[in-house]
Amino acid sequence: MPKSFRSHLRITLGPYRLGLRLLRRELVAGELRVMAAALVIAVGALTAVGFSTDRVAQAMRLGAAELLAADLLLASSNPIDPQWTRQAHRHGLATAHTLSFRSMLAHGDRFQLAEVKAVSEGYPLRGRLEVAKTPFGAAHPTRAIPSPGTVWLEGRLLSALGLRVGQTVHLGAAQFTVTEVLALEPDRGGELFHIAPRVLMHIADVAPTQLVQPASRVTHRLLLAGEAAAIAGFRKQLATALQPGERLQGTDQASPQLRSALSRASQYLGLASITSVLIAGVAVALAARRYATRHADSVALLRSLGASSRWVAQVFALQVLVLGLLAGLAGCALGRAGEAILSNLFAGLVIGDLPPPSWKPIGIGLAAGMGTLLSFALPPLLKLRTISPVQVLNRNVGYFPAPMRASYAGAILLLAALGYQLGLEPRLASSVLAGAVATLILLAISARLLVKGLTGLRSRVGVAWRFGLANVARRPQESVLQIVALGIGMLVLLVLTFIRTDLLSSWQAQFPPEAPNFFLLDVQPHQVGAVQRHLAQYGLSPPALYPMVRGRLRQINGQPVAATHYSDPRARRLATRDFNLSWSEQLPAGNQVVQGQWWAASERPVPAFSVEQGLAETLAMRVGDKLIFDVAGQPIEGRVESLRSVAWDSFQANFFVMLPPGVLDSFPATYLTSLHLPASQRQVLGGLVQAFPGITVLDVDALLEKARSIVEQAIRAVQYVFLFTLVAGLGVLYAAVQATLDERKVEAAILRALGASRNRVMLGVLSEFVILGLLAGLVATLGATVLSKWLASAVFDLDLHLDPWLGILGILGGAASAGLAGLVGTRSVLAMPPNASLRAT
Amino acid sequence: MVEARGVEKRVPSPEGDLTILSAVELAIFAGETVAVIGASGSGKSTLLGLLAGLDLPTKGIVRLDGHDLTAIDEDGRAALRGQLVGFVFQSFQLLPSLTAIENVMLPLELAGNAQPKRRAEAILERVGLQHRRRHYPRQLSGGEQQRVAIARAFATQPKVLFADEPTGNLDQQTGGAIAELLFELNRERGTTLVLVTHDPCLADPCNRVVRLDNGRLTS
């Protein structure tokens, strides 16, 4: 190697070697402790949330897949081309077939219409069947399907036919033994109110029944499951080759009950983790300023020894990069450990093994850690380049660390990128950013005014407090900076606390222990009183029953409604199905008119419609549109008077379309109700079905349990992530205290040299930090109140009830924790003999 | 080797500009040892900073080994310092997170020296601190720290050595030993030495003594 090149290489590598050496030593000496800890916390929070939301998303996909019993299904009125099955296997996908049709089931002289589903081995590919030995008895999951020659019947079918497990039934030309009561089939959910009771049989038994002929109305389904990428690829292929009568269904539409709770949870988690990055960023910025100030002399020396400004920049940039990488990796490890806890919390959510967590959260965590350092720590460190070497001779030349505002642009960019990555609603992300900026400005202005205002108090307080007040006022820049840093930390913590409390209670209120877990359908008008009495004799309070008439939407504003007019698959389905029309004088509980007006009680019966807003959107209906419904062959014509929002996650009886009372009186109606039955009283249903054979009982207990467990898990996740934010907040406090530690050491030493007792010095430090904490807490509480009110109504759809005690707690908590952090942070000052402090300067 | 022509230094102060140095004319020749003496606040350290290129004069020209320091930027001056200059400071100015040997290696590494460790070990041995080479500054006495600083100053074999009150923070006995070491090394290597002091014991052995009085050279 030529000598000049080697020399060049050494010069080039010099700053990196020194940078690494300094980094290693300073990590060991604890110089970078605050910066590193803040980063680890931020990255840990982000990755834990990243991992867990990844899992939640997977759980949601799986939950949706359970509703299909597959990841993807191809349904057709004709037999499915066997080539699709072969190709699916080539794509590495698991397959199963089902065949459904309606038929009469006979037992002795009793007959009952049933919905038959014949299934192949492997069904269901997602989710599990649950069976019991008696109707409405205790159920357990099974991986089996009915073996040939046997059938599993839904409980109400056994009740209606007077059957017991072990007896035989006739289906077409064949006879079957009933071996199980079918308690739950995963893919039943979407069609809860629309199908006759279920018979499950083996697909090989269809031929002996002789029920399926070439022209029979049957639905063939090919169920597919496998890796997400393979499914997506196969779906594309299938979509381009669909024949008439064939349709594809994916897991895109998850159950709406769970979606709203989970989307709010993930928004909150995203917000909380971004917040911890922001708070940690403030801690990093404070720590970096201190680090830069402490290194000003060293840099001046390096400059005097001939180091160029670029060389100095390289030394510190390398430190930032390596520190970012190390802290990022440690944060990822922390996040991964946190995720292990979270995934335990989410364990009940999914059946079977989840695929290993993806690498994406690690990537985001590392990038965010680096981004936090680059935007918050690099500006003060790079300012070291500008230090004059003459400082080695004359320290009065001084070094002024970069102002905090140098970090703002990078911080805003970083937070925006994170918000985008975490899938935060743009409105939420931008409002948090705008709120943060506005709060910073507000905090700075109020902090300045408060600091100024304090000066007048000095003559009226004792020595220790005077010293504290004097310190606050003497370092107005630092005091304002500390109040702003503390305040922003407290503000976001308070916002998260305010919203969290209401978010959690609104979730818990959604699924109270007495939420309805059974629906009774097809109750005839003359049975309404008898059903209520029947339930009352078991000590159950008589439920309210809602009337229901089936009707099909025929025209909107004179245009016939046909599936071919819509491209949206949901709209196409809705266009061809019957709606359950109901009527009520009052707006049902859980409903809210979002447009138009609910009818007044006194009006005479005029046909008018109130439509659920989602349905109106899908079928492009507006207030004022003229609709014609076909009810039992008669047109019912009227205008849309209102659009309603409906709490679908309430598990109450809800209707897409409602009318005023009286309009549908002449049509045959059935009644519907929902009720809560504790597990110990499930046998009530057996008696009910025997007493009223025509009544359909729907068991949503399993679905409700699932929804409840998801929400509980989301609650635990929120509380867990909140802890990260809290720790990040404490990190800011600590960093803020550390920022002025060196100066404090000298002050304390001088005071003690002058004869002040240790306690008096301690009281002085305490009073200063309590004052700072009070000021920061006051400003933060005001800001948090405004911001939470806005966020709750605009983003989380909550009616926020602010607890004034939380505000007071915020102010006092700010003062107490700042005081405590001050004492802990400065304990080394108090412990050091004054001589040592003075000599060290 | 070092030349100041019409040098003036003013700094802003709340009461208007404060003149620290004015009309300084000074020429120091290669191999010469010059002591700058004067009372506290007379501008000695400021002059040293200007001669070494650590700072720029408000007026006038400073030349170091023929280079006009006022005509080049800070990074250019830094490069020149790396090649030509060594420093010894009153407060030692060792990097606290580096060991003794690492502190001595620092200017060698900055200059791209091929064997910084060997050179640093040799010079540490010369100042009698080979056995303390792995110690951090906080583990060394004041005298030992200043010996490390001297080793560092001579490590790159600079043409000019600037020393700012090198014994100011030491007791008389240690200070005497340090001064002896400084002059010894200076003789061995034929370095030009410019030192600022108000200690006559340190000024006496120098070839020439110049006095600063209220920012003006008087002798």
Side-chain angles (χ1 to χ4, degrees):
Chain A
M1 213 186 295
K3 200 176 165 195
S4 64
F5 179 72
R6 270 187 302 191
S7 149
H8 175 73
L9 195 67
R10 263 190 302 279
I11 291 173
T12 314
L13 290 178
Y16 301 118
R17 281 220 300 266
L18 179 71
L20 284 180
R21 204 181 289 152
L22 286 176
L23 182 68
R24 200 172 62 230
R25 302 279 160 73
E26 276 154 15
L27 274 175
V28 172
E31 277 281 309
L32 292 163
R33 201 185 301 142
V34 177
M35 220 192 298
L39 264 184
V40 170
I41 292 164
V43 175
L46 258 184
T47 42
V49 169
F51 279 130
S52 55
T53 44
D54 212 40
R55 291 244 157 150
V56 176
Q58 296 208 43
M60 276 181 74
R61 270 200 299 277
L62 280 174
E66 282 181 26
L67 296 178
L68 290 182
D71 293 332
L72 178 67
L73 70 80
L74 174 64
S76 172
S77 47
N78 298 309
I80 309 270
D81 189 342
Q83 66 136 340
W84 289 124
T85 311
R86 286 197 296 275
Q87 286 206 21
H89 289 156
R90 275 206 290 279
H91 275 78
L93 300 176
T95 61
H97 288 267
T98 70
L99 183 67
S100 12
F101 55 92
R102 284 189 166 201
S103 184
M104 279 295 181
L105 206 60
H107 173 62
D109 56 355
R110 292 163 101 162
F111 292 88
Q112 175 70 43
L113 182 68
E115 194 80 39
V116 182
K117 179 143 94 180
V119 299
S120 72
E121 297 294 341
Y123 169 87
L125 296 178
R126 296 282 184 228
R128 251 193 258 183
L129 291 168
E130 285 190 21
V131 291
K133 283 298 170 198
T134 54
F136 310 109
H140 62 272
T142 177
R143 290 212 178 273
I145 59 165
S147 35
T150 69
V151 286
W152 298 354
L153 305 188
E154 206 177 311
R156 56 182 158 135
L157 205 45
L158 284 134
S159 308
L161 289 170
L163 260 171
R164 281 194 312 279
V165 168
Q167 293 184 309
T168 56
V169 284
H170 282 94
L171 183 62
Q175 184 179 317
F176 297 92
T177 308
V178 179
T179 52
E180 299 280 2
V181 177
L182 180 62
L184 178 79
E185 49 178 326
D187 47 342
R188 177 88 183 248
E191 304 290 326
L192 274 181
F193 298 94
H194 294 282
I195 56 172
R198 174 70 83 206
V199 175
L200 198 71
M201 62 189 286
H202 197 283
I203 203 161
D205 282 342
V206 174
T209 63
Q210 298 173 17
L211 285 171
V212 176
Q213 306 299 329
S216 302
R217 279 175 59 97
V218 296
T219 305
H220 299 263
R221 287 189 179 86
L222 169 63
L223 279 58
L224 300 152
E227 295 271 331
I231 285 288
F234 195 58
R235 185 177 186 165
K236 260 190 201 152
Q237 199 181 334
L238 273 173
T240 54
L242 278 188
Q243 300 297 314
E246 288 183 345
R247 70 187 168 87
L248 273 177
Q249 205 177 342
T251 54
D252 326 48
Q253 299 103 17
S255 151
Q257 289 98 330
L258 308 182
R259 206 165 36 184
S260 77
L262 285 176
S263 104
R264 282 196 286 182
S266 70
Q267 293 292 311
Y268 182 89
L269 291 178
L271 185 62
S273 57
I274 283 201
T275 296
S276 48
V277 172
L278 176 68
I279 302 180
V282 176
V284 166
L286 287 173
R289 278 168 62 92
R290 175 171 188 242
Y291 186 77
T293 311
R294 282 171 71 91
H295 284 72
D297 286 350
S298 299
V299 171
L301 176 77
L302 284 170
R303 302 279 283 147
S304 75
L305 294 179
S308 65
S309 55
R310 194 175 143 195
W311 204 92
V312 172
Q314 282 171 332
V315 167
F316 288 97
L318 179 83
Q319 288 194 24
V320 164
L321 289 177
V322 177
L323 181 69
L325 196 68
L326 292 179
L329 285 173
C332 285
L334 181 70
R336 187 69 184 79
E339 188 276 332
I341 300 171
L342 280 183
S343 68
N344 261 338
L345 298 183
F346 284 101
L349 201 63
V350 289
I351 297 163
D353 296 327
L354 278 176
S358 72
W359 287 95
K360 196 177 151 202
I362 290 190
I364 295 178
L366 283 179
M370 207 58 94
T372 309
L373 263 186
L374 290 179
S375 46
F376 288 97
L378 209 53
L381 289 180
L382 284 186
K383 184 142 191 281
L384 285 172
R385 281 179 314 165
T386 60
I387 282 183
S388 165
V390 79
Q391 201 177 323
V392 288
L393 295 172
N394 183 2
R395 293 182 95 184
N396 295 333
V397 172
Y399 159 71
F400 305 100
M404 289 288 275
R405 63 175 173 275
S407 305
Y408 296 164
I412 287 173
L413 268 179
L414 171 75
L415 294 180
L418 276 176
Y420 175 75
Q421 265 298 336
L422 291 174
L424 284 194
E425 283 175 24
R427 206 166 47 136
L428 174 64
S430 52
S431 61
V432 168
L433 269 181
V437 171
T439 311
L440 271 176
I441 296 170
L442 193 75
L443 269 168
I445 294 172
S446 8
R448 211 170 280 267
L449 289 176
L450 286 169
V451 166
K452 241 183 167 172
L454 282 176
T455 320
L457 279 176
R458 276 162 67 171
S459 53
R460 297 180 213 162
V461 291
V463 176
W465 282 86
R466 195 180 309 148
F467 174 62
L469 283 172
N471 265 348
V472 172
R474 186 169 56 81
R475 286 189 283 253
Q477 289 291 347
E478 274 71 23
S479 296
V480 168
L481 184 72
Q482 286 182 8
I483 293 176
V484 170
L486 274 178
I488 194 92
M490 283 187 208
L491 174 118
V492 279
L493 279 178
L494 278 172
V495 168
L496 289 179
T497 316
F498 285 154
I499 294 178
R500 171 180 153 272
T501 315
D502 273 43
L503 194 63
L504 297 191
S505 49
S506 86
W507 281 345
Q508 275 154 348
Q510 242 170 34
F511 304 113
E514 65 283 359
N517 52 356
F518 288 93
F519 284 88
L520 301 184
L521 311 175
D522 301 332
V523 180
Q524 299 305 312
H526 66 273
Q527 293 175 318
V528 169
V531 166
Q532 285 180 326
R533 280 193 299 280
H534 182 91
L535 293 171
Q537 80 188 41
Y538 290 98
L540 297 164
S541 54
L545 283 101
Y546 299 90
M548 197 165 89
V549 169
R550 304 291 282 263
R552 186 166 289 198
L553 181 62
R554 288 296 183 209
Q555 286 185 18
I556 302 174
N557 293 332
Q559 296 295 314
V561 175
T564 48
H565 294 172
Y566 298 96
S567 57
D568 176 26
R570 179 167 184 251
R572 291 165 79 103
R573 268 200 315 283
L574 287 170
T576 55
R577 71 167 240 197
D578 281 351
F579 287 97
N580 293 316
L581 308 176
S582 187
W583 57 89
S584 171
E585 198 164 295
Q586 304 297 330
L587 184 67
N591 286 218
Q592 219 175 349
V593 172
V594 291
Q595 220 182 321
Q597 296 241 307
W598 187 256
W599 35 77
S602 57
E603 281 174 22
R604 62 189 177 79
V606 177
F609 301 103
S610 173
V611 182
E612 190 265 336
Q613 63 173 350
L615 175 78
E617 215 168 278
T618 311
L619 293 179
M621 289 190 268
R622 280 188 298 270
V623 170
D625 280 0
K626 202 170 79 182
L627 308 184
I628 298 180
F629 273 90
D630 177 344
V631 180
Q634 280 193 44
I636 302 289
E637 191 177 325
R639 291 202 180 272
V640 176
E641 284 198 354
S642 64
L643 300 184
R644 276 171 302 128
S645 69
V646 172
W648 291 110
D649 46 9
S650 68
F651 279 84
Q652 301 284 350
N654 280 309
F655 298 93
F656 277 124
V657 182
M658 297 198 75
L659 291 88
V663 181
L664 298 175
D665 278 358
S666 57
F667 295 97
T670 59
Y671 280 73
L672 158 78
T673 189
S674 57
L675 70 153
H676 173 76
L677 272 186
S680 58
Q681 280 191 298
R682 290 173 71 102
Q683 79 283 359
V684 171
L685 294 170
L688 189 81
V689 173
Q690 270 183 347
F692 308 96
I695 290 181
T696 304
V697 177
L698 273 182
D699 180 353
V700 291
D701 206 26
L703 197 65
L704 183 70
E705 268 311 305
K706 178 156 222 133
R708 192 177 277 144
S709 80
I710 290 176
V711 164
E712 271 168 18
Q713 284 149 358
I715 286 172
R716 269 181 275 171
V718 161
Q719 288 175 328
Y720 174 76
V721 171
F722 182 73
L723 266 184
F724 271 100
T725 326
L726 210 62
V727 176
L730 291 177
V732 169
L733 262 179
Y734 190 71
V737 173
Q738 293 276 313
T740 54
L741 196 60
D742 300 322
E743 215 174 317
R744 257 169 237 290
K745 275 185 187 162
V746 184
E747 284 168 5
I750 294 171
L751 279 174
R752 291 195 63 196
L754 292 176
S757 70
R758 200 167 170 272
N759 280 347
R760 180 157 279 179
V761 176
M762 194 167 82
L763 201 60
V765 170
L766 185 69
S767 62
E768 181 183 349
F769 280 99
V770 168
I771 294 161
L772 283 177
L774 271 176
L775 296 184
L778 188 69
V779 180
T781 307
L782 293 177
T785 310
V786 178
L787 198 60
S788 334
K789 274 269 181 206
W790 188 85
L791 278 175
S793 69
V795 180
F796 289 101
D797 204 13
L798 288 172
D799 188 16
L800 194 69
H801 303 289
L802 280 180
D803 184 351
W805 282 109
L806 269 181
I808 293 169
L809 202 71
I811 299 174
L812 294 181
S817 47
L820 193 69
L823 280 187
V824 172
T826 52
R827 69 190 186 287
S828 60
V829 173
L830 298 170
M832 209 177 209
N835 196 29
S837 295
L838 289 172
R839 276 182 56 188
T841 59
Chain B
M1 175 55 66
V2 186
E3 190 184 1
R5 289 278 164 255
V7 165
E8 186 177 308
K9 181 70 181 174
R10 284 195 303 266
V11 291
S13 78
E15 292 85 32
D17 277 3
L18 191 69
T19 304
I20 298 177
L21 293 172
S22 64
V24 172
E25 301 282 339
L26 180 67
I28 297 165
F29 303 99
E32 207 180 359
T33 51
V34 176
V36 181
I37 58 170
S40 289
S42 58
K44 302 188 298 284
S45 293
T46 305
L47 177 62
L48 186 87
L50 292 177
L51 297 179
L54 294 174
D55 201 3
L56 284 179
T58 318
K59 222 158 95 181
I61 287 173
V62 178
R63 283 207 183 82
L64 183 63
D65 198 24
H67 302 274
D68 180 356
L69 295 180
T70 55
I72 42 184
D73 65 5
E74 171 44 39
D75 276 346
R77 291 196 298 275
L80 217 53
R81 284 195 298 268
Q83 287 164 26
L84 302 173
V85 174
F87 287 103
V88 177
F89 303 101
Q90 179 178 2
S91 51
F92 324 135
Q93 298 280 16
L94 300 177
L95 289 192
S97 50
L98 298 185
T99 58
I101 187 148
E102 286 167 349
N103 265 293
V104 179
M105 281 162 64
L106 197 59
L108 292 164
E109 289 177 321
L110 275 169
N113 189 285
Q115 290 171 318
K117 198 165 180 197
R118 192 180 293 177
R119 288 283 295 275
E121 272 173 349
I123 188 104
L124 266 182
E125 194 168 359
R126 174 66 190 83
V127 300
L129 281 178
Q130 175 66 357
H131 61 295
R132 303 281 262 166
R133 66 185 184 283
R134 287 184 205 286
H135 290 218
Y136 287 94
R138 63 176 180 279
Q139 298 166 321
L140 302 173
S141 70
E144 286 170 330
Q145 286 190 49
Q146 194 61 306
R147 278 197 275 165
V148 175
I150 290 173
R152 180 180 65 188
F154 281 103
T156 50
Q157 296 184 307
K159 286 190 170 173
V160 193
L161 186 77
F162 291 96
D164 180 26
E165 303 274 14
T167 57
N169 275 9
L170 303 170
D171 60 65
Q172 202 176 357
Q173 196 182 346
T174 317
I178 287 294
E180 206 171 301
L181 178 68
L182 189 64
F183 285 113
E184 250 177 55
L185 277 165
N186 192 53
R187 265 195 307 277
E188 280 170 24
R189 285 151 210 252
T191 316
T192 308
L193 175 66
V194 182
L195 68 82
V196 158
T197 185
H198 47 237
D199 178 359
C201 296
L202 206 55
D204 284 348
C206 292
N207 302 141
R208 185 151 57 114
V209 176
V210 294
R211 175 179 292 277
L212 259 179
D213 206 357
N214 276 330
R216 288 176 181 276
L217 274 185
T218 55
S219 58

